[in-house]
């Protein structure tokens, strides 16, 4: 695309202005990429210079149905004209419909709506304390469950935790991930719940041994401990099944959801089985399950079904990982993943790869320093995957 000289100069000035305002007015908590994004469609995003990128970040495993899925856009538009928010003092049809749809796709029985992953984890922890009458938690090393003071208490990484200690729950025991004996030893009379991601995301796309989650389920049953799965990142087709738990054949007592739930719109949820649940007045959230978020989430679930995105995730994931493993590069330690949740562990910090890829039209991000995490929209095409692999190979 040719741009007249003045035009591109203006755009560059606009970029600079955005970045200047950000550095002046926004708390500098994010190490941002030097990109000003303005549009997206499917697996592609555009910056304000109209340069296109294949998006292997997808808003951090949020845009599973692709950017601005027409079904989600239409649902948001239509709902916004009718009713945006009314509080949970009243019923709305759309919230009831979404609850039914969520129960159907998760295999869980009841749901509580909130607004983010951390809020879902906070609620899950409160609920575990409420129903067990116990207060301690067992969580895994390299876990990530959110940044609020409660969810941080079960998040492992020092740089996230240390400045904010002591934790709310001083009784959290962190155990090595995928180590059954460690769980058995860590559970005490005061353990309310074991909290695990079925695949660790921020911790580096870590996949447990096939029998691990089943064994943990057994130990929890034997000891009367609740099992909480944090499927905030692994949910909604990301790993090649609707939810990752299906691949391990294990049902948790409580499961937290967020990220992809709203097709890009902010939402979170706690789902439970059996008689586990909050009673009247025991938990609340002003915005939780507001009509606009529910409309987006319902449309997103319908889009995943209609476009067969769970199948796409599985097939494209297999294709993607096959190509990545075929690269046989010396600097690659391991390619691992399930569906379209893929980690490439390399021998050195991966920020240079992220820069190179961006300059060549691919958005990537880096978790735990040396793992490139690829979590593209599930609608990514084989051609787009080929392009990403080419760029990675050059990098
Ligand atoms: C992102 C994430 C969270 C936190 O979600 P927020 O919406 O950022 O609060 C919690 N758990 C897991 C597994 C996540 O990936």
């Amino acid at each position: 695309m040719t741009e007249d000289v003045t035009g591109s100069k203006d755009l560059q000035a606009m970029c600079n202005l955005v970045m200047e305002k950000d550095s002046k007015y926004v708390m500098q908590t994010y190490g941002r990429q030097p990109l000003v994004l303005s549009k997206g469609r499917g697996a592609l995003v555009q910056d304000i210079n109209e340069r296109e990128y294949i998006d292997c970040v997808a808003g951090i495993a949020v845009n599973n149905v692709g950017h601005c899925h027409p079904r989600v856009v239409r649902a948001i538009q239509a709902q916004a004209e009718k009713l945006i928010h009314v509080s949970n003092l009243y019923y709305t049809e759309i919230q009831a419909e979404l609850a039914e749809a969520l129960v159907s796709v998760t295999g869980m029985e009841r749901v509580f709506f909130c607004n983010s992953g951390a809020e879902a984890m906070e609620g899950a922890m409160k609920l575990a304390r409420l129903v067990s009458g116990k207060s301690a938690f067992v969580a895994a090393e390299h876990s990530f469950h959110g940044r609020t003071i409660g969810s941080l208490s079960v998040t492992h990484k020092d740089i996230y935790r240390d400045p904010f200690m002591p934790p709310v729950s001083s009784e959290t025991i962190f155990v090595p991930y995928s180590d059954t004996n460690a769980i058995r030893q860590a559970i005490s009379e005061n353990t309310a719940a074991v909290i695990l991601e079925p695949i660790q995301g921020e911790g580096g796309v870590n996949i447990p041994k096939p029998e691990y989650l089943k064994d943990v389920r057994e130990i929890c049953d034997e000891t009367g401990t609740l099992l909480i799965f944090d499927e905030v990142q692994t949910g909604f087709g990301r790993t090649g099944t609707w939810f990752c738990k299906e691949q391990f054949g294990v049902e948790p007592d409580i499961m937290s959801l967020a990220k992809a739930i709203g097709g890009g719109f902010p939402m979170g949820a706690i789902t439970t089985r059996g008689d586990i649940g909050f009673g009247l007045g025991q938990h609340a959230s002003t915005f939780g399950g507001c009509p606009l978020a529910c409309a987006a989430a319902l449309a997103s679930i319908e889009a995943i079904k209609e476009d067969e995105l769970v199948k796409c995730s599985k097939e494209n994931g297999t294709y993607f990982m096959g190509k990545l493993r075929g690269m046989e590069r010396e600097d690659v330690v391991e390619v691992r993943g399930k569906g379209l949740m893929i980690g490439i562990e390399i021998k050195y910090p991966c920020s240079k790869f992220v820069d190179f890829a961006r300059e060549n039209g691919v958005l990537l991000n880096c978790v735990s320093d040396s793992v490139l995490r690829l979590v593209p929209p599930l609608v990514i095409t084989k051609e787009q995957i080929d392009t990403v692999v080419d760029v990675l190979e050059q990098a």
Side-chain angles (χ1 to χ4, degrees):
M1 215 182 298
T2 49
E3 199 102 58
D4 77 70
V5 183
T6 21
S8 68
K9 243 194 207 152
D10 285 351
L11 284 169
Q12 193 50 52
M14 233 162 89
C15 274
N16 292 341
L17 191 64
V18 170
M19 292 194 240
E20 249 167 61
K21 280 189 186 172
D22 181 275
S23 66
K24 194 165 169 197
Y25 300 120
V26 180
M27 288 189 203
Q28 297 296 294
T29 49
Y30 301 105
R32 291 195 209 263
Q33 304 279 303
L35 266 191
V36 181
L37 297 175
S38 62
K39 278 186 206 165
R41 204 60 162 179
L44 297 174
V45 283
Q46 244 182 42
D47 66 14
I48 60 173
N49 295 305
E50 300 200 341
R51 223 191 130 196
E52 267 187 349
Y53 302 83
I54 301 173
D55 185 5
C56 289
V57 179
I60 315 186
V62 165
N63 302 300
N64 287 17
V65 297
H67 288 278
C68 300
H69 191 290
R71 197 160 185 150
V72 175
V73 171
R74 277 199 307 269
I76 290 175
Q77 283 170 338
Q79 187 61 49
E81 287 189 353
K82 283 195 275 185
L83 195 61
I84 294 176
H85 172 80
V86 283
S87 91
N88 286 298
L89 298 175
Y90 311 97
Y91 297 97
T92 59
E93 196 183 343
I94 191 89
Q95 192 186 92
E97 257 181 69
L98 175 63
E100 186 179 34
L102 265 181
V103 161
S104 152
V105 296
T106 57
M108 302 298 278
E109 289 171 41
R110 281 188 299 164
V111 51
F112 175 90
F113 291 110
C114 56
N115 306 286
S116 70
E119 195 188 348
M121 285 311 299
E122 291 279 327
M125 291 167 72
K126 277 179 71 179
L127 185 55
R129 282 190 168 180
L130 180 76
V131 300
S132 70
K134 302 169 185 176
S135 60
F137 296 100
V138 174
E141 289 172 7
H142 309 293
S143 63
F144 183 86
H145 299 294
R147 306 287 202 126
T148 55
I149 202 95
S151 62
L152 204 56
S153 304
V154 290
T155 289
H156 185 239
K157 203 171 180 175
D158 293 342
I159 59 160
Y160 296 160
R161 288 165 57 87
D162 283 354
F164 310 104
M165 291 299 101
V168 172
S169 168
S170 57
E171 298 151 299
T172 301
I173 296 178
F174 289 101
V175 295
Y177 192 58
S178 200
D179 179 340
T180 315
N181 272 333
I183 294 257
R184 200 186 298 276
Q185 281 162 17
I187 291 176
S188 74
E189 280 180 352
N190 193 34
T191 306
V194 172
I195 302 177
L196 292 170
E197 295 155 86
I199 293 177
Q200 291 187 326
E202 306 298 312
V205 190
N206 304 320
I207 303 168
K209 286 181 223 137
E211 66 288 353
Y212 175 63
L213 296 174
K214 235 181 197 152
D215 291 345
V216 173
R217 177 73 269 180
E218 262 178 43
I219 296 168
C220 285
D221 288 342
E222 281 164 24
T223 54
T225 311
L226 293 165
L227 179 58
I228 301 175
F229 278 174
D230 179 348
E231 289 236 28
V232 166
Q233 188 161 153
T234 48
F236 297 94
R238 172 55 56 198
T239 68
T241 46
W242 266 96
F243 295 90
C244 192
K245 66 185 171 81
E246 296 160 40
Q247 296 181 50
F248 296 97
V250 180
E251 293 299 330
D253 302 296
I254 302 172
M255 178 167 78
S256 59
L257 303 171
K259 291 209 159 94
I261 188 173
F265 198 87
M267 185 179 235
I270 310 164
T271 60
T272 60
R273 290 196 305 139
D275 53 9
I276 297 169
F278 291 111
L280 191 62
Q282 286 179 326
H283 197 51
S285 176
T286 299
F287 287 120
C290 81
L292 196 56
C294 288
L298 194 59
S300 172
I301 289 174
E302 281 161 4
I304 294 173
K305 285 183 185 163
E306 196 171 81
D307 301 351
E308 301 193 315
L309 294 183
V310 177
K311 200 168 125 214
C312 289
S313 173
K314 189 163 188 234
E315 287 175 4
N316 286 333
T318 306
Y319 178 75
F320 208 156
M321 264 192 290
K323 288 209 92 177
L324 289 169
R325 286 184 174 138
M327 292 198 310
E328 284 189 34
R329 302 293 295 239
E330 263 187 19
D331 32 22
V332 174
V333 179
E334 189 185 25
V335 176
R336 54 180 180 254
K338 279 191 189 289
L340 282 169
M341 182 167 178
I342 300 172
I344 309 172
E345 186 173 345
I346 53 182
K347 281 188 180 150
Y348 19 78
C350 47
S351 58
K352 273 196 187 141
F353 282 78
V354 173
D355 293 339
F356 180 91
R358 186 186 61 248
E359 282 151 18
N360 290 277
V362 174
L363 300 188
L364 295 178
N365 104 314
C366 190
V367 288
S368 73
D369 295 339
S370 59
V371 180
L372 290 164
R373 173 182 50 187
L374 288 80
V375 284
L378 310 182
V379 296
I380 193 170
T381 63
K382 289 216 162 61
E383 294 72 44
Q384 287 167 335
I385 291 173
D386 291 343
T387 307
V388 173
V389 175
D390 281 347
V391 168
L392 279 169
E393 205 145 24
Q394 288 167 43

